[in-house]
Amino acid sequence: MPAIAESLAEWAYGYEPDAEDLALARRSLLDTVAVTLAARDHPVSALAAELPDAARWAAVGHVLDFDDLHIESTTHISVVIVPAVLAAGGDARAYLAGAGVMARLGTLLGWSHYAAGWHATCTAGAPAAAVAAGVAWGLTPERLATAMALAVPGASGVQAAFGTHSKSLQVGFAAEAGVRAARLARAGATADPRAVDAWLKLVGAQGAGDAGEGTPHSGRPAVPGGLAIKMFPCCYAMQRPIAALRDLRAECGPDDVTAVRVTTPGATVHPLIHDGPDTGLEGKFSLPYAVATALLDDFPGFGAFTDDAVGRPEARRLMATVETERTEGGAGLLDGEVDLAVTLTDGRVLRSALAHPPGSPRRPPTDGELAEKFAACGSDVPALLKDTTWESARTLLLTELPGKAPA
């Protein structure tokens, strides 16, 4: 039986995208470039300036937590794969090959891997970025499998980084590890593709040791399940509570609220590790702050996730009213539904329940919603994205986020 890397490499090498795949690739390109441009002035942009292109673009693209997500694997696919493809001079087919491998690897890693504290975007991302860059450079299936094995040392990242610069930087490291591995494979470096099987087993992948038995390494679409587009610039685990609470804004104001009870499967809020956030970055991973910003802000955009916004006295008061009941079961960020009970000063209790937030695969964004998101990423972003191709996107990022030589 072939090694997992060999099976995935054969799939990636031979995959022929259809119109639906190509539409997803184009949306992913535009969305990723938009959220990367939105972070041009973020401190991480300056910190990442000395990193290679793929690492720099991925780190900056992820720092606002506005990039897309593959629900089934709990991985931010495009912010790893788009930079890897652009750094290698690739196109939509290279993106779909890398994205498909990342979705399949991430699904094989499974929820237990994520729940153990790994950052699956990094672990699945490094070997997948190797495939993306390798396809862009025309590597054979054998060389693609070798590239995946060469990327194993860079396939690491932990959730303890959430709420710090390290979260986005480790995503950048994963993207660059993949590009570096593909470059080495192209140059003739050797590696045993079974290293991927061994690594998967070590990090607790489901079915590891059985060549991924039960996990499809072929078929279509390129990205099974599609990708969720974020409508708010924060952890995906906050999208549903924010959207559910915003449904109640017409019936109450923040000053009317005395208690908020959030009931949800524990898995759906697993990444929300900051109950009392002190910074804007920590606020992006806080269920109590999701409640506060949903009630306080007309729209929880970039301004809602600054240090000053998180420190607002009214936000602090609202966060203190939140009680969370994490029910048992669940193995993903959109399992079950979130149920909110909001108690008001007059004794009334308002309720809201939601299963699928806006932008999720079952509620995909409209063209108008995407246009609004791109406009929110910068007044010049819609014009910069006009008629964007994979080639012009690379030039755009080189211009807007230029690297610099190490001192």
Side-chain angles (χ1 to χ4, degrees):
M1 183 173 293
I4 290 171
E6 293 171 332
S7 296
L8 289 171
E10 287 285 353
W11 174 85
Y13 180 82
Y15 191 77
E16 293 295 336
D18 59 19
E20 183 179 347
D21 292 324
L22 293 172
L24 181 140
R26 175 152 184 81
R27 188 188 70 176
S28 300
L29 172 66
L30 296 178
D31 187 68
T32 304
V33 172
V35 301
T36 304
L37 295 175
R40 283 170 287 186
D41 296 326
H42 193 281
V44 161
S45 180
L47 291 171
E50 295 184 4
L51 297 176
D53 291 342
R56 183 171 71 258
W57 298 335
V60 177
H62 190 55
V63 71
L64 295 176
D65 261 289
F66 212 13
D67 48 301
D68 65 31
L69 183 80
H70 183 242
I71 300 297
E72 290 79 1
S73 64
T74 324
T75 60
H76 295 269
I77 283 180
S78 294
V79 81
V80 173
I81 302 302
V82 168
V85 170
L86 296 181
D91 57 12
R93 184 175 174 276
Y95 167 81
L96 291 163
V101 167
M102 190 164 174
R104 287 161 175 79
L105 267 182
T107 302
L108 180 59
L109 286 166
W111 179 254
S112 60
H113 172 80
Y114 189 84
W118 292 99
H119 190 187
T121 298
C122 302
T123 49
V131 171
V135 168
W137 286 327
L139 299 191
T140 65
E142 294 76 17
R143 291 284 89 195
L144 290 174
T146 296
M148 291 180 68
L150 288 168
V152 165
S156 181
V158 294
Q159 292 168 36
F162 290 10
T164 72
H165 293 157
S166 180
K167 181 178 191 276
S168 59
L169 288 170
Q170 67 188 14
V171 169
F173 300 155
E176 176 56 28
V179 174
R180 182 177 64 236
R183 185 179 295 113
L184 289 167
R186 181 176 61 167
T190 63
D192 189 336
R194 291 175 297 180
V196 176
D197 297 71
W199 162 75
L200 285 165
K201 186 174 182 179
L202 287 169
V203 296
Q206 299 169 358
D210 302 317
E213 188 174 330
T215 302
H217 296 163
S218 59
R220 58 178 58 250
V223 182
L227 295 172
I229 299 296
K230 288 186 180 179
M231 296 291 101
F232 313 114
C234 55
C235 178
Y236 198 79
M238 294 171 64
Q239 306 288 310
R240 188 161 71 172
I242 289 175
L245 200 50
R246 283 171 59 79
D247 288 342
L248 300 178
R249 282 173 57 88
E251 301 178 64
C252 68
D255 293 339
D256 303 323
V257 175
T258 62
V260 179
R261 184 174 183 82
V262 182
T263 304
T264 186
T268 68
V269 290
H270 178 81
L272 305 184
I273 62 176
H274 294 287
D275 288 339
D278 293 315
T279 68
L281 279 176
E282 290 178 352
K284 291 174 181 283
F285 303 91
S286 172
L287 183 56
Y289 189 68
V291 170
T293 186
L295 289 170
L296 286 171
D297 300 309
D298 290 337
F299 181 80
F302 297 129
F305 294 96
T306 64
D307 294 355
D308 288 343
V310 170
R312 289 173 288 179
E314 56 268 40
R316 293 297 196 192
R317 185 193 74 81
L318 285 168
M319 284 192 279
T321 70
V322 178
E323 180 182 355
T324 306
E325 180 183 355
R326 292 172 169 83
T327 59
E328 293 184 2
L333 298 182
L334 286 185
D335 276 15
E337 64 180 20
V338 64
D339 188 289
L340 300 172
V342 181
T343 303
L344 307 182
T345 53
D346 61 8
R348 288 183 298 145
V349 177
L350 304 179
R351 293 189 176 277
S352 179
L354 185 64
H356 301 287
S360 62
R362 293 194 184 182
R363 291 180 64 182
T366 64
D367 289 343
E369 288 172 330
L370 278 176
E372 289 178 3
K373 175 177 179 176
F374 297 163
C377 288
S379 59
D380 61 341
V381 169
L384 289 173
L385 292 180
K386 184 175 174 59
D387 300 322
T388 294
T389 64
W390 289 86
E391 182 178 357
S392 68
R394 182 176 188 272
T395 302
L396 176 60
L397 291 184
L398 285 170
T399 301
E400 295 294 327
L401 286 164
K404 66 180 182 180

